[in-house]
């Protein structure tokens, strides 16, 4: 009888473990690819928070002078027409405190009352992008577990301003702070390092009669790095044809760059750059004109159509400054694929920007 009871308990434990494993796998598979927003000048303004590029929860903790948790607060209305106001909060627990090298150490303890500003009554909770740009959060919803505030001191020792927008308290967020706090486990911030670099190359698609290419790279770091793509050393401009995406995985951040359809001007060096507060790391993929032409030859081989070929001896001097001359069969005219730092119809212009 005791043996049967023991077997029943073991079966119950195994069943619970199997359910938890399936739930974890389902959550992992639900993580979708997120599109990156990138311009020729780098990250878009709407992706920054309080004027800072790094604003994940660990980067917020590292860049803030004072981090605390508060459960209770009181609104101090302002008489101005801007609908801005301050809060008087009661400190529940101090998560991080420290002054600057030129100033005194912050003396904040549990139970202290401080004033925090500014908040906006004109911005709704859905206007998150404007809140990030102005560094002015909207009214806080009531929450039993309270909020985490990221603050910086002012000349008034009882008044603090936002370093970043406050977030709801979660116990798992304390574990994220612990991974970059250099505490008892000696876990400190780390610069990113590459864990994956897969050049999938140029691929012909006979169904749509198009050629595409894709690159995949991944990196780890503490805090989690952000990713951006470069082409020939300059920021890559993304659009409907050139798309970059990222996904968070258990082993780090993974990003993929997809170009479809591919043009001859897409030849060059593509660099995947991962950056956090501790440093950056990159890996480069190289695609030449010959690879694109070979893929197009495979695509049109069935119809014996050659969409492009290298110029003959009569046009070999058509392009300047080392440009590659190719002739497209659709118009029969020579075109130039310019090397780095050159542009123009025959690569006659210098482009150093």
């Amino acid at each position: 009888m005791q043996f049967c009871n023991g077997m029943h308990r073991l079966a119950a434990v195994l069943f619970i473990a199997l359910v938890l494993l399936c739930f974890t796998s389902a959550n992992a598979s639900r993580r979708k690819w997120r599109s990156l927003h990138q311009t020729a000048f780098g990250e878009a303004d709407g992706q920054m928070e309080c004027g800072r590029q790094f604003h994940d929860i660990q980067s917020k903790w590292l860049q803030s002078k004072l981090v605390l948790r508060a459960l209770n607060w009181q609104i101090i209305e302002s008489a101005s027409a801007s609908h801005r106001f301050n809060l008087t909060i009661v400190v529940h627990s101090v998560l991080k405190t420290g002054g600057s090298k030129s100033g005194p150490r912050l003396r904040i303890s549990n139970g202290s009352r401080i004033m925090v500003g500014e908040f906006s009554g004109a911005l709704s909770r859905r206007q998150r992008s404007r809140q990030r740009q102005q560094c002015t959060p909207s009214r806080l919803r009531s929450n039993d577990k309270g909020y985490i505030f990221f603050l910086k001191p002012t000349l008034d020792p009882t008044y603090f301003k936002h370093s970043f927008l406050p977030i709801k308290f979660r116990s798992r967020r304390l574990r994220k702070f612990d991974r970059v706090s250099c505490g008892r486990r000696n876990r400190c911030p780390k610069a990113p390092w590459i864990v994956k670099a897969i050049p999938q190359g140029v691929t012909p698609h006979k169904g749509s009669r198009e050629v595409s290419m894709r690159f995949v790279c991944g990196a780890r770091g503490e805090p989690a790095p952000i990713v951006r793509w470069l082409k020939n050393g300059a920021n890559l401009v993304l659009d409907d044809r050139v798309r970059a995406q990222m996904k968070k995985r258990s082993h780090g951040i993974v990003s993929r760059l997809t170009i479809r359809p591919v043009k001859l001007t897409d030849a060059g060096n593509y660099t995947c750059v991962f950056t956090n507060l501790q440093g950056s790391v990159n890996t480069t993929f190289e695609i030449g004109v010959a690879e694109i032409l070979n893929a197009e030859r495979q695509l049109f081989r069935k119809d014996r159509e050659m969409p492009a070929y290298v110029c003959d001896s009569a046009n070999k001097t058509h392009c300047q400054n080392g440009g590659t001359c190719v002739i497209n069969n659709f118009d029969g005219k020579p075109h130039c694929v310019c090397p780095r730092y050159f542009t123009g119809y025959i690569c006659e212009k210098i482009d150093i920007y």
Side-chain angles (χ1 to χ4, degrees):
M1 189 67 180
Q2 293 180 354
F3 175 78
C4 293
N5 291 336
M7 292 299 295
H8 289 162
R9 291 172 184 169
L10 179 61
V13 171
L14 292 176
F15 177 76
I16 294 174
L18 181 61
V19 171
L20 292 176
L21 180 62
C22 294
F23 179 76
T24 305
S25 301
N27 284 341
S29 63
R30 260 189 238 117
R31 296 174 181 171
K32 298 181 179 180
W33 289 99
R34 291 171 47 195
S35 298
L36 296 179
H37 301 280
Q38 184 175 304
T39 65
F41 303 99
E43 190 177 16
D45 292 338
Q47 304 301 312
M48 302 182 71
E49 182 171 322
C50 297
R52 306 198 186 191
Q53 183 181 16
F54 304 101
H55 49 78
D56 60 280
I57 185 170
Q58 291 177 323
S59 297
K60 289 181 179 182
W61 191 89
L62 290 171
Q63 297 176 90
S64 300
K65 298 294 183 183
L66 177 64
V67 183
L68 54 85
R69 176 189 178 189
L71 298 177
N72 302 315
W73 55 83
Q74 181 180 359
I75 298 178
I76 302 178
E77 296 289 351
S78 175
S80 63
S82 61
H83 302 286
R84 298 199 173 189
F85 58 91
N86 299 324
L87 290 184
T88 298
I89 65 174
V90 180
V91 178
H92 178 271
S93 57
V94 179
L95 306 179
K96 176 186 176 183
T97 180
S100 61
K101 295 182 180 179
S102 59
R105 184 175 179 84
L106 301 177
R107 300 184 180 276
I108 304 295
S109 58
N110 298 347
S112 302
R113 287 181 174 269
I114 61 173
M115 186 181 298
V116 177
E118 292 180 317
F119 294 80
S120 175
L123 296 177
S124 65
R125 297 184 180 93
R126 295 184 178 181
Q127 294 176 305
R128 197 68 177 175
S129 178
R130 293 188 61 185
Q131 294 181 40
R132 290 194 183 103
Q133 292 178 12
Q134 301 177 13
C135 202
T136 308
S138 61
R139 295 178 181 269
L140 301 180
R141 291 182 177 181
S142 58
N143 183 15
D144 295 338
K145 295 184 179 181
Y147 283 82
I148 299 176
F149 291 84
F150 304 91
L151 306 174
K152 56 185 177 182
T154 63
L155 296 177
D156 186 350
T158 61
Y159 180 69
F160 295 84
K161 289 188 176 182
H162 300 287
S163 293
F164 298 93
L165 303 184
I167 59 176
K168 292 183 178 181
F169 177 83
R170 298 286 187 272
S171 58
R172 66 176 180 270
R173 289 173 173 168
L174 297 181
R175 294 192 291 270
K176 290 187 177 181
F177 293 156
D178 185 57
R179 290 203 294 265
V180 294
S181 62
C182 296
R184 57 185 179 180
R185 297 183 181 180
N186 198 25
R187 305 181 72 172
C188 298
K190 300 177 183 178
W193 66 95
I194 297 293
V195 297
K196 178 185 292 187
I198 305 176
Q200 297 184 358
V202 183
T203 305
H205 301 274
K206 293 187 177 181
S208 58
R209 298 174 69 86
E210 292 178 345
V211 175
S212 69
M213 62 182 180
R214 174 175 290 179
F215 311 107
V216 180
C217 57
R220 296 187 65 177
E222 292 285 352
I226 62 174
V227 61
R228 63 191 179 101
W229 287 88
L230 310 177
K231 180 184 178 183
N232 296 331
N235 285 309
L236 180 63
V237 180
L238 304 178
D239 52 29
D240 294 337
R241 192 179 66 89
V242 182
R243 296 179 299 166
Q245 298 170 302
M246 61 85 64
K247 179 190 289 189
K248 291 184 178 180
R249 294 286 185 88
S250 58
H251 58 268
I253 302 296
V254 179
S255 180
R256 67 183 183 187
L257 175 67
T258 306
I259 302 178
R260 182 172 181 177
V262 174
K263 301 178 180 179
L264 292 177
T265 54
D266 291 327
N269 296 325
Y270 293 85
T271 304
C272 178
V273 183
F274 292 92
T275 311
N276 66 4
L277 289 171
Q278 308 304 311
S280 64
V281 68
N282 65 78
T283 182
T284 301
F285 308 95
E286 183 178 357
I287 292 293
V289 176
E291 295 181 61
I292 300 176
L293 290 177
N294 289 334
E296 290 184 342
R297 288 190 182 99
Q298 295 178 16
L299 183 64
F300 290 91
R301 182 176 296 172
K302 183 177 180 180
D303 300 331
R304 296 183 179 180
E305 297 178 6
M306 299 293 291
Y309 54 90
V310 180
C311 298
D312 54 16
S313 58
N315 294 314
K316 64 180 181 180
T317 60
H318 177 73
C319 302
Q320 301 179 8
N321 299 312
T324 303
C325 177
V326 295
I327 294 181
N328 195 319
N329 243 6
F330 297 114
D331 57 13
K333 298 180 181 179
H335 300 272
C336 294
V337 180
C338 301
R340 186 178 182 183
Y341 301 129
F342 292 96
T343 184
Y345 182 71
I346 57 174
C347 306
E348 76 280 7
K349 299 179 182 179
I350 299 178
D351 183 13
I352 60 175
Y353 298 102

